[in-house]
Amino acid sequence: MNAAGVRKRDAERTRQSILEAAQDVFSRHPYAEASLKEITSLAGANAALVSRYFGSKEKLFEAALTASLDPTPLMPASRVEFGERLVAAFIRPVPGRINPLPMLIFATAEARLQAVALKLLRERIVLPLAEWLGGVGAEVQAARIMVIASGFFTYRSLLPLEAMQGDLDENTRAWLVRAFQSAIDAE
Amino acid sequence: MNAAGVRKRDAERTRQSILEAAQDVFSRHPYAEASLKEITSLAGANAALVSRYFGSKEKLFEAALTASLDPTPLMPASRVEFGERLVAAFIRPVPGRINPLPMLIFATAEARLQAVALKLLRERIVLPLAEWLGGVGAEVQAARIMVIASGFFTYRSLLPLEAMQGDLDENTRAWLVRAFQSAIDAE
DNA sequence: CTCATAAGTAAATTGGAATTTACTTATTGG
DNA sequence: CCAATAAGTAAATTCCAATTTACTTATGAG
């Protein structure tokens, strides 16, 4: 290593930068359009290293989705403010934090990715959320949350309907808050 | 033509059978996994004819999506039963009728398809539905319907969460009905 | 210092589907 | 019946990203 303690070659660091670039690219582009070339050039690495460190594009996607779910996102502060918090998080995402929803939705576009995504969705989102919610029917409530969140995300970002853009009109914002809230209020 | 009036060759009939096969295959498989070979062999036609009759796979997808939106689907009978009707239609789809939602969601997987899908979504679903709903904010209400419908479809069919399978538990069914209904009740 | 090995690279290969081409066969008006 | 043309086909071509290969360069233990 040189004076600054920075190695020119560092497998772990390279692997990590590919993983981070993958999270970025896979959450901005549909899977088929997210090329390894784009990911590795963003990471400043050689495309052949994907194979060495992750095995394949699919495995890299899986690793990126997993990483974006760690730590478990979406964990709300209180039950009464649940809807408010969720809507606020959608409308002003925390900068730098990777939102796992795009990757989840994009995973819909390949059968093998669907299987991986479903597994992670259950283990890393639905079950933890259900545990936090507690009580009978908590898993069902968590699934309802996903229904609203994904539907909203789809028309906010992927097929951008005007009604779902920007800060939302006041009524729609209120409707969305109630939709999230009703998902956990009703058993 | 022969005695039964059936031509061995009939461009219009061939084009139509490719289009119908495309609707079927594109609504069951993600775009990338729906091969022209599968579509044309289902249609009993040669793969090269896609190019002649539709120009390209993308154009065929566009034609298939358009056809699945004709006549305008989802048109509910009455405003009060709106949610009930919609949920019933999801849980027991009319056999043989092509549901446009899968293609709409799969179109999410390629930037060029997104543009086509968004255009058709507005013209063929959102605006007609808004016109039927009437009043100020009708277009926004129609967009909210899409949010619920797509989210539900995603976790019912693409990333099948147990909570959204089969006939739904009674509470979830009631929740879903209210979710649709509240989309058009609240301004 | 040196050499065994880990890390990284450029270029070749693969693979699979879409698209094009060159061709064959059916249809139909005259 | 006979062109002329429309319809259909098989096989060749193209395209392009993922993956593999054969190689170069850096690292660090002894």
Side-chain angles (χ1 to χ4, degrees), chain B residues 96-166:
Chain B
R97 173 161 217 183
I98 296 290
N99 173 6
L101 263 188
M103 273 186 268
L104 227 37
I105 301 297
F106 290 144
T108 266
E110 308 241 336
R112 285 194 49 194
L113 300 182
Q114 286 176 354
V116 165
L118 176 57
K119 182 168 176 292
L120 287 168
L121 169 65
R122 270 185 50 77
E123 290 173 0
R124 308 299 307 279
I125 300 185
V126 173
L127 294 182
L129 188 52
E131 181 150 13
W132 181 85
L133 288 166
V136 289
E139 187 172 339
V140 174
Q141 292 176 339
R144 293 178 202 158
I145 296 293
M146 291 306 303
V147 166
I148 307 292
S150 298
F152 177 56
F153 174 78
T154 298
Y155 294 108
R156 184 173 175 84
S157 301
L158 272 21
L159 304 176
L161 288 176
E162 209 181 320
M164 298 296 153
Q165 302 310 297

Side-chain angles (χ1 to χ4, degrees), chain A residues 60-73:
Chain A
L60 175 60
F61 182 89
E62 181 175 356
L65 179 54
T66 303
S68 79
L69 290 168
D70 186 37
T72 302

